[in-house]
């Protein structure tokens, strides 16, 4: 686990998101290693675009400052761009 992974786990384990986290973990247990790797690759570009250069704090979403934007989607990345990035 690295700093980015730890931040993601921290967000998922917050009480307000614990139910969703349990559902995601349930899905994760059903994926093969290859399927999980493909899913990770498909979200890599979006994950990168959801991060700021500097840490910031969004109340209600995190316990400490992180690089992730929680209140807005990247303006230069549409749903079509996201799906197109899967290739």
């Amino acid at each position: 686990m690295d700093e980015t992974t730890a931040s993601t786990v921290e967000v998922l384990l917050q009480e307000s998101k614990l139910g969703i986290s349990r559902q995601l973990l349930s899905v994760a247990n059903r994926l093969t290693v290859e399927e999980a790797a493909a899913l990770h690759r498909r979200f890599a570009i979006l994950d990168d675009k959801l991060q700021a250069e500097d840490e910031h704090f969004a109340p209600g979403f995190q316990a400490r400052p992180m690089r992730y934007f929680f209140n807005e989607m990247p303006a230069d990345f549409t749903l079509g761009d996201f799906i197109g990035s899967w290739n």
Side-chain angles (χ1 to χ4, degrees), residues 45-75:
I45 293 173
L46 178 59
D47 182 70
D48 184 59
K49 289 188 172 287
L50 287 173
Q51 294 184 51
E53 289 187 28
D54 299 317
E55 290 186 339
H56 61 276
F57 183 74
F61 288 104
Q62 59 202 86
R64 62 179 178 79
M66 295 181 196
R67 292 181 49 208
Y68 282 96
F69 293 109
F70 289 95
N71 297 322
E72 57 190 66
M73 290 295 292

Side-chain angles (χ1 to χ4, degrees), residues 26-55:
S26 173
V27 170
N29 290 333
R30 298 176 190 168
L31 299 175
T32 66
V33 172
E34 293 82 15
E35 291 167 333
L39 191 61
H40 179 73
R41 282 190 309 272
R42 288 182 174 180
F43 277 88
I45 293 173
L46 178 59
D47 182 70
D48 184 59
K49 289 188 172 287
L50 287 173
Q51 294 184 51
E53 289 187 28
D54 299 317
E55 290 186 339

